[in-house]
DNA sequence: TTAGAACGCGCG
DNA sequence: AAAGCGCGCGTTCTAA
């Protein structure tokens, strides 16, 4: 944990002008926690019961693949089961049982190089692994579907209604202080400001920063979040913020040019990397996918082996066989080529690695410091992890710095709105996105406000004399359906 | 019986 | 041998 924000560490010469970071918007954050976010309990109950019946079906179907004479093995290893007499079924929640069934009894993936768990005890049954084995046995997609249903039910549809609090209609709500038109339920998260090593905020009890959005079923969960009666939800997020920051921090001419021209960075990378002239000839899986993966992954220190895994997963998920020319050597070449396209990014990472090794710290645009003593470890694995953290922290951390400035700028304006009698509240910070609730009739205004204020966070005095070298794109969205949705 | 590790997975 | 950054949380499994 880094509590060093803006403070120079004794004994560490700081070679550049590291500025004080003094803009944690604590009062605004406390206000968001008090407000909470509205939820539709009936929606969650209904969704939960659908998930439950699907789980029952899937569990039955999955269990039918277990050789009957081997069932005892599972019963003996699982202690909690056994209620209900005859209900001898596989516990799909147990990774151990799933592994035994798949790899010992059914021989799935035999002759293939299978990834093992972190401890090396057995073969992994993680999503990545199972995705590549999807077509080998009909049971595999069933397990994946069960896992999704189970996750959504346990973590979201069951939990959220339990911890929601009733905000009563009336002049002044005792919980949040706002007058509500009708009774409704809200969940209150705790926002932690000193939890992360990079300066990001964290959310717990419940974590509202990981509400599903990437799958169709997941988005149904997200739809359970609603505005209070008579209000609208509005959200605004930065697009490709970390990549733009890499362009800014590295001053890479090619990357800056692409962003300044407002082009599609993944497409532009694909055209240059594969030497394609016509944008229409760029294939989504063949060309754009690896570029997207590398564009995002590079800030995390992605290696050619990681890229190979990602490519295998991309193809498996799309149901396309991996082409025979796509191997680890190809991935290595591709990453080298990527750095040739964006040569100043190499210098960026070299600079961060130098700072890490020389001073054992790296820092963000606003001067938030992260110690990285790992880079001097005697263990190569730890050292390399430390270097990846060092390369990533100024990007992720600067994103957090600027996001906070954006939040502070937004809140300053919302205070004025409230003084003028408009009901408007910030509800949730999600790393590069801010969720806001506003009285009906003001939603378009507030969307414009969010885009304006967040989009100018880099011009703020707090980020110092640093010129904004890259356009920061902010996209606001009004939830017309009165549910939290994507796009 | 229980605290914590292991595993897996939701999000940016 | 591992091989991608930052989080929180649910269930299963294990060691005390």
């Amino acid at each position: 944990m880094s509590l060093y924000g803006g403070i120079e560490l004794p004994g560490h010469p700081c070679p550049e002008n590291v500025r004080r970071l003094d803009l944690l918007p604590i009062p605004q954050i406390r206000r968001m926690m008090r407000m909470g976010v509205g939820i539709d309990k009936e929606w969650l109950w209904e969704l939960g019961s659908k998930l439950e019946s699907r789980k029952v079906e899937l569990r039955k179907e999955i269990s039918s693949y277990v050789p009957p004479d081997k069932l005892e093995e599972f019963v003996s290893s699982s202690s909690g089961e056994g209620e209900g007499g005859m209900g001898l079924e596989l516990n799909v929640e147990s990774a151990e049982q799933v592994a035994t069934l798949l790899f010992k009894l059914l021989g799935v993936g035999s002759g293939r190089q299978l990834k093992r768990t972190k401890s090396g005890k057995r073969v992994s049954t993680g999503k990545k692994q199972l995705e590549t084995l999807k077509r080998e046995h009909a049971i595999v997609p069933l397990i994946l579907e069960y896992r999704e249903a189970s996750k959504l039910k346990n973590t979201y549809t069951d939990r959220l209604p339990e911890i929601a609090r009733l905000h009563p209609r009336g002049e002044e709500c005792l919980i949040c202080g706002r007058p509500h038109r009708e009774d409704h339920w809200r969940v209150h998260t705790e926002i932690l400001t000193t939890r992360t090593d990079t300066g990001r905020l964290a959310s717990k009890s419940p974590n509202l920063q990981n509400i599903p959005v990437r799958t169709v079923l997941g988005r149904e969960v997200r739809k359970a979040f609603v505005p209070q009666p008579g209000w609208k939800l509005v959200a605004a997020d930065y697009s490709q913020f970390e990549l733009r920051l890499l362009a800014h921090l590295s001053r890479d001419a090619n990357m800056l040019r692409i962003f300044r021209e407002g082009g599609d960075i993944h497409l532009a990378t694909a055209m240059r990397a594969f030497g394609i002239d016509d944008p229409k000839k760029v294939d989504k899986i063949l060309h754009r996918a690896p570029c997207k993966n590398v564009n995002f992954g590079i800030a995390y220190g992605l290696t050619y082996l990681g890229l190979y895994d990602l490519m295998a997963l991309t193809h498996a998920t799309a149901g396309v066989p991996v082409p025979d020319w796509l191997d680890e050597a190809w991935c290595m070449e591709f990453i080298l080529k990527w750095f040739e396209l964006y040569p100043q990014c190499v210098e960026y990472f070299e600079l961060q690695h130098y700072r890490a090794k020389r001073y054992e710290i790296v820092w963000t645009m606003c001067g938030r410091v992260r110690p990285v003593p790992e880079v001097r470890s005697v263990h190569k694995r730890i050292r390399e992890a430390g270097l990846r953290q060092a390369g990533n922290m100024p990007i992720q951390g600067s994103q957090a710095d600027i996001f906070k400035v954006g939040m502070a700028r937004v809140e300053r304006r919302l205070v004025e709105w409230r003084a003028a009698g408009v009901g408007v509240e910030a509800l949730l910070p999600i790393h590069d996105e801010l969720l806001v609730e506003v009285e009906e009739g003001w939603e378009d205004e507030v969307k414009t406000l969010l885009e304006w204020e967040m989009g100018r966070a880099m011009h703020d005095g707090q980020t110092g004399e640093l010129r904004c070298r890259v356009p920061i794109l902010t996209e606001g969205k009004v939830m017309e359906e009165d549910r939290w949705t994507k796009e």
Side-chain angles (χ1 to χ4, degrees), chain A residues 198 200 240-250 255 295-301 345 348-349 352 362-365 388-403 431:
Chain A
T198 55
R200 274 190 175 183
Q240 296 159 345
F241 204 176
E242 292 195 336
L243 212 44
R244 286 170 196 267
L245 279 174
L246 175 57
H248 176 86
L249 294 172
S250 69
M255 204 179 271
N295 282 340
F296 283 122
I298 220 83
Y300 304 146
C345 289
Y348 163 82
F349 285 106
Q352 303 306 335
V362 289
W363 57 90
T364 67
M365 281 174 61
R388 289 193 298 271
Q389 291 162 357
N392 174 259
M393 187 273 179
I395 300 173
Q396 188 182 123
S398 297
Q399 179 197 38
D401 289 346
I402 295 164
F403 180 70
H431 311 306

Side-chain angles (χ1 to χ4, degrees), chain A residues 133-427:
Chain A
L133 299 169
K134 234 179 175 176
R135 322 193 76 179
E136 247 178 67
H137 198 292
I139 198 177
V140 178
L142 299 178
I143 291 170
L144 285 167
E145 195 187 343
Y146 182 94
R147 288 243 178 99
E148 186 186 9
S150 177
K151 175 82 176 179
L152 295 179
K153 181 156 194 296
N154 290 336
T155 309
Y156 305 103
T157 66
D158 281 356
R159 186 89 185 105
L160 293 173
E162 281 174 14
I163 56 181
R165 298 182 64 184
L166 179 66
H167 283 232
R169 147 184 204 172
E171 287 306 303
E172 189 171 293
C173 173
L174 291 175
I175 300 169
C176 69
R178 288 221 69 97
H180 298 305
R181 299 185 192 183
E182 304 290 343
D183 291 353
H184 66 287
W185 296 85
R186 304 181 78 89
V187 286
H188 298 259
T189 184
E190 189 180 339
I191 297 167
L192 310 175
T193 59
T194 55
R195 181 70 186 80
T196 66
D197 289 337
T198 55
R200 274 190 175 183
L201 304 175
S203 159
K204 62 172 269 208
S205 319
N207 182 354
L208 293 184
Q209 289 179 329
N210 71 345
I211 300 305
V213 71
R214 293 177 188 170
T215 66
V216 174
L217 205 50
R219 287 192 283 275
E220 290 302 302
V221 172
R222 182 163 285 224
K223 286 182 190 165
F225 289 81
V226 293
Q228 60 180 295
W231 291 45
K232 289 274 179 194
L233 289 177
V234 183
D237 69 302
Y238 292 107
S239 86
Q240 296 159 345
F241 204 176
E242 292 195 336
L243 212 44
R244 286 170 196 267
L245 279 174
L246 175 57
H248 176 86
L249 294 172
S250 69
R251 298 167 154 82
D252 186 90
N254 288 332
M255 204 179 271
L256 285 173
R257 186 169 40 71
I258 292 172
F259 279 126
R260 283 179 186 151
E261 288 169 359
D264 176 337
I265 180 81
H266 307 311
L267 185 70
T269 307
M271 289 173 66
R272 295 185 49 124
F274 291 98
I276 303 171
D277 296 328
D278 183 3
K280 286 173 200 145
K281 286 187 180 168
V282 174
D283 185 82
K284 209 160 182 186
I285 291 179
L286 228 54
H287 306 127
R288 197 171 178 279
C291 294
K292 194 175 172 181
N293 283 332
V294 176
N295 282 340
F296 283 122
I298 220 83
Y300 304 146
L302 184 70
T303 67
Y304 70 98
L305 291 159
L307 176 61
Y308 180 74
D309 277 358
L310 275 177
M311 291 305 296
L313 186 65
T314 305
H315 283 79
T317 308
V320 181
V322 179
D324 52 359
W325 49 264
L326 175 51
D327 53 16
E328 290 170 356
W330 185 89
C331 290
M332 187 184 273
E333 284 300 315
F334 191 82
I335 287 182
L336 287 174
K337 186 172 261 177
W338 192 96
F339 277 114
E340 279 171 28
L341 287 182
Y342 306 114
Q344 282 152 292
C345 289
V346 179
E347 293 169 24
Y348 163 82
F349 285 106
E350 283 172 351
L351 173 64
Q352 303 306 335
H353 291 183
Y354 170 78
R355 287 175 176 169
K357 285 187 267 201
R358 179 79 172 78
Y359 306 110
E360 293 189 15
I361 58 171
V362 289
W363 57 90
T364 67
M365 281 174 61
C366 288
R368 176 178 293 276
V369 170
R370 173 176 180 166
V372 276
E374 292 90 345
V375 298
R376 299 230 174 116
S377 166
V378 293
H379 304 289
K380 192 179 173 196
R381 216 186 111 194
I382 308 245
R383 271 200 319 271
E384 290 180 337
L387 290 176
R388 289 193 298 271
Q389 291 162 357
N392 174 259
M393 187 273 179
I395 300 173
Q396 188 182 123
S398 297
Q399 179 197 38
D401 289 346
I402 295 164
F403 180 70
K404 286 172 183 171
V405 172
M407 278 182 32
R409 291 174 63 108
V410 167
E411 188 61 25
R412 213 174 300 146
R413 297 284 307 280
L414 297 192
V415 168
E416 299 168 4
W417 281 37
R418 282 185 216 118
V422 179
V424 60
E425 296 290 341
L427 301 183

Side-chain angles (χ1 to χ4, degrees), chain A residues 7-181:
Chain A
I7 297 164
E8 294 193 16
L9 299 172
H12 288 283
C14 216
E16 291 195 4
N17 177 26
V18 173
R19 278 167 298 276
R20 167 167 283 275
L21 175 69
D22 187 17
L23 40 80
L24 285 182
I26 300 292
Q28 295 95 308
I29 284 173
R30 294 193 57 80
R31 192 174 178 111
M32 289 191 266
M33 294 194 269
R34 279 185 66 200
M35 269 313 285
V37 187
I39 62 158
D40 183 340
K41 281 184 146 195
E42 283 75 23
W43 180 279
L44 286 169
W45 285 331
E46 227 164 275
L47 185 56
S49 83
K50 280 182 205 157
L51 290 172
E52 181 57 37
S53 36
R54 188 69 188 128
K55 275 178 72 179
V56 171
E57 284 174 20
L58 285 165
R59 192 157 47 219
K60 197 179 261 177
E61 210 174 330
I62 290 166
S63 296
S64 73
Y65 285 99
V66 185
D69 51 316
K70 307 279 177 140
L71 204 54
E72 295 165 27
E73 282 183 40
F74 301 117
V75 177
S76 58
S77 65
S78 86
S79 48
E81 206 65 34
E83 200 54 56
M86 51 142 287
L88 247 61
E89 284 179 325
L90 179 80
N91 184 358
V92 192
E93 240 99 29
S94 161
E96 203 180 330
Q97 292 186 28
V98 170
T100 311
L101 175 60
L102 287 183
F103 305 118
K104 289 218 179 97
L105 300 183
L106 300 179
V108 175
S110 52
R112 205 193 269 249
Q113 180 88 13
L114 295 174
K115 229 180 120 187
R116 305 193 74 78
T117 56
K118 206 177 164 191
S119 68
K121 260 194 224 163
R122 53 149 203 273
V123 176
S124 163
T125 68
K127 194 172 182 171
K128 236 179 202 163
Q129 177 72 87
L130 259 42
E131 207 69 54
T132 66
L133 299 169
K134 234 179 175 176
R135 322 193 76 179
E136 247 178 67
H137 198 292
I139 198 177
V140 178
L142 299 178
I143 291 170
L144 285 167
E145 195 187 343
Y146 182 94
R147 288 243 178 99
E148 186 186 9
S150 177
K151 175 82 176 179
L152 295 179
K153 181 156 194 296
N154 290 336
T155 309
Y156 305 103
T157 66
D158 281 356
R159 186 89 185 105
L160 293 173
E162 281 174 14
I163 56 181
R165 298 182 64 184
L166 179 66
H167 283 232
R169 147 184 204 172
E171 287 306 303
E172 189 171 293
C173 173
L174 291 175
I175 300 169
C176 69
R178 288 221 69 97
H180 298 305
R181 299 185 192 183

